[in-house]
Amino acid sequence: MSIRNLDDLLAEGVSGRRVLVRADLNVPLDKQTGEITDDGRIRAVLPTLGALVQAGAKVVVCSHLGRPKGAPDPQYSLRPVAGRLGELLGAPVRFAEDTVGDSARATVDALVDGQVALLENLRFNKGETSKDEAERGAFADQLAAFGEAYVDDAFGAVHRKHASVFDVPARLPHVAGRLVLREVEVLGKLAGEPERPYVVVLGGSKVSDKLAVIEALLPKVDRLLIGGGMCFTFLKAQGHEVGTSLLEEEMVETCGNLLARADGKILLPVDVVAADAFAPDAAHDTVPADGIPSHRLGLDIGPETVAGFAAALSQAKTVFWNGPMGVFEMPAFAAGTRGVAEAITKTDAFTVVGGGDSAAAVRSLGLDESGFDHISTGGGASLEYLEGKTLPGIAALEN
């Protein structure tokens, strides 16, 4: 790809210049306290911000958080992120109370060389996500006025045709940040000619969410290991009872067709942890995957499945993992995700975690992040990249 990167911009000199950085600071917040529960995405943008600060740029950071309805909503304010970002950078980050209003203009105007400002949530403005090009463009004009150059380091948002991702680059000299460049390089390896055997592990709740990537990957992989809630639709397609487990009835026939075409590549659970209810303290035990009681629901893969998946992974030279194996947020149903993650770290393969809940699981389960070659910050973006889709944010950088 012909994308200019941060080093190109730094070589031109950014001292005293305003640089607008689109970051992905969409971090989870505790609903009760408002505190950040996982700062992984903030840490991921530090190499880009640190390089700009060191080079003397006036850095204006913008991001979304959550899904506000195009108007200010205190529960989605980026103020806590500004505080944490300042801690990690080792210097206060100036916070604008709005995105493109009076506070934003005053905050940006007051920046000195090597200082960082964070604008309020982009999605407090309808123009950010609007499908109307004129409305989106008008908002992009206001954002672009804050920069003399633009850096996209928000890989988690590059699959969105939003003003800050798609329209702003058309208005400013633009480059890819350190994170976006790394993501594209890594996923390019997987989309090209990965070293074989190539094993993909997919989890998560719905087959419908992963159907396109399964279709795209099936001809390329050597083994496809399926866990999480989505496995029950596949088990149903094999004629098994799945009790009250998560099931997409409309996808059963599709899963049957995939299994028929897979030529043995797809590996499904042989045992599951079945519970009386979707609750952390629900009564549960391990049952065969073809023997789930009608009144119970599967909430994790079982130990025999973990062992089988680990055996398949041990042969791999390339591994891509996207989606947890069970409800890892509940300790009783976290063993499957932990076991598969640990098996991935023990391989000699090039290993990639596909963002989203998988990356959250790595951190919440206390696993060593250095055990993986790359942990993506973009769940949806990484999947769409591997599906072969054109990502609007990447296309905008190429232009």
Side-chain angles (χ1 to χ4, degrees), residues 101-127:
D102 291 342
S103 177
R105 285 190 291 272
T107 301
V108 172
D109 286 346
L111 283 176
V112 298
D113 295 0
Q115 199 168 46
V116 178
L118 176 63
L119 307 178
E120 184 56 284
N121 196 332
L122 289 162
R123 292 185 183 174
F124 285 0
N125 305 263
K126 289 182 179 178

Side-chain angles (χ1 to χ4, degrees), residues 306-332:
V306 172
F309 283 11
L313 288 161
S314 69
Q315 306 299 314
K317 292 298 181 185
T318 305
V319 174
F320 175 71
W321 168 37
N322 181 278
M325 298 292 98
V327 187
F328 72 91
E329 298 90 345
M330 300 179 186

